[in-house]
Amino acid sequence: MELWPWLTAALLLLLLLVQLSRTARFYAKISLYCALCLSVSAVASAVCLLRHGGRTVENMSIISWFVRSFKYAYGLRFDVKGREKLEVDRPCVIISNHQSILDMMGLMEILPRRCVQIAKRELMFLGPVGLVMYLGGVFFINRQRSSTALTVMADLGERMVQENVPVVPVVYSSFSSFYNLKTKLFTSGTIKVQVLDAVPTSGLTVADVPKLMDTCHHAMRSTFFHLSRTPQENGVAEGPGVQPAQ
């Protein structure tokens, strides 16, 4: 029995479902995003190995170039303000809000050169995705073992205040006007990105870190609501019901 007619019919049915069903379109785009992550990670890994021969933060510029191309496939635009605050010649700690699997695209839009990232250890086992993150110098922490994760973050906090390294908060507006898991919405749109003023750590001790984080959280929360209430490019305005991301 010939398989081609059945395969053709199945493909046509899938295309029809994508056109008629919002849920089908949503999962089709998510599937494409995952496929892009896997395939592009494999290609980027090969380029990183050929260019630098192994694990180094220098590879992140290559990875960033690949990931930034995703936005064209999804009709997304990033409106970044305050980028110059990340282009100063000094070390800093960058923190940002988390919303969905699309965060990676936004991160790569503002990532400065030689930026070392921290990620959960589970990502290291995602095949080519984990490989390219490893090659990019990402530092993995085991969130399942809270003692290990807390030790790493406490060490980071201690180094941060000892070296007077400022904290630079980066806030992304709500994705809910074009991406919503509950309602299966996934269309094109604009993400507003605001790089806030650096929060100084000069004169602080490890005991001041919780207060420092609370200051950053309040500034980011206020900015998130401000950005998300601004009407988005696709005509959907965010109201008071928008919930801040993590």
Side-chain angles (χ1 to χ4, degrees):
M1 178 189 257
E2 290 288 339
L3 291 178
W4 285 112
W6 292 101
L7 291 174
T8 303
L11 180 59
L12 290 174
L13 179 60
L14 179 61
L15 291 174
L16 181 62
L17 283 174
V18 169
Q19 291 298 319
L20 297 179
S21 169
R22 174 191 246 186
T23 300
R25 286 198 302 272
F26 178 85
Y27 284 112
K29 287 189 173 184
I30 290 295
S31 299
L32 175 60
Y33 183 79
C34 293
L36 276 174
C37 288
L38 291 171
S39 58
V40 169
S41 293
V43 174
S45 295
V47 176
C48 289
L49 287 170
L50 290 172
R51 182 70 176 85
H52 294 118
R55 175 179 169 90
T56 170
V57 71
E58 299 293 344
N59 283 327
M60 196 52 70
S61 60
I62 297 173
I63 300 168
S64 176
W65 183 86
F66 277 100
V67 174
R68 290 199 309 272
S69 65
F70 286 15
K71 63 186 175 185
Y72 301 111
Y74 287 92
L76 299 178
R77 189 171 71 88
F78 291 87
D79 180 13
V80 182
K81 294 184 178 179
R83 190 191 299 271
E84 67 281 357
K85 297 172 186 176
L86 294 173
E87 296 174 350
V88 294
D89 187 20
R90 68 170 185 220
C92 67
V93 173
I94 301 172
I95 58 176
S96 63
N97 54 319
H98 166 61
Q99 299 186 64
S100 77
I101 60 174
L102 304 182
D103 290 340
M104 180 176 62
M105 287 190 285
L107 173 64
M108 294 303 171
E109 287 291 320
I110 58 93
L111 196 70
R113 287 176 54 84
R114 298 187 57 78
C115 180
V116 177
Q117 301 177 57
I118 297 176
K120 58 183 180 181
R121 185 170 177 266
E122 292 87 340
L123 296 176
M124 188 168 59
F125 304 103
L126 291 181
V129 174
L131 174 61
V132 80
M133 292 177 72
Y134 172 81
L135 291 173
V138 173
F139 190 84
F140 297 97
I141 59 173
N142 188 354
R143 298 199 304 181
Q144 300 302 318
R145 296 179 60 183
S146 58
S147 58
T148 302
L150 288 173
T151 298
V152 171
M153 298 311 292
D155 181 61
L156 173 63
E158 185 174 356
R159 289 175 180 237
M160 180 175 66
V161 295
Q162 285 181 349
E163 302 296 332
N164 296 327
V165 178
V167 179
V168 181
V170 178
V171 182
Y172 300 89
S173 63
S174 172
F175 293 172
S176 61
S177 63
F178 64 88
Y179 177 89
N180 191 308
L181 181 60
K182 291 183 179 179
T183 63
K184 301 299 181 287
L185 172 70
F186 197 169
T187 63
S188 60
T190 298
I191 299 97
K192 295 182 181 296
V193 186
Q194 181 70 56
V195 181
L196 305 185
D197 291 334
V199 179
T201 62
S202 178
L204 301 183
T205 66
V206 176
D208 297 312
V209 171
K211 183 178 180 182
L212 173 66
M213 292 298 98
D214 189 54
T215 298
C216 293
H217 176 264
H218 281 295
M220 294 175 70
R221 180 183 174 88
S222 175
T223 303
F224 175 83
F225 279 118
H226 174 73
L227 293 177
S228 301
R229 287 195 184 102
T230 305
Q232 301 290 304
E233 189 176 79
N234 58 7
V236 180
E238 300 295 343
V242 174
Q243 296 299 314
Q246 298 177 31

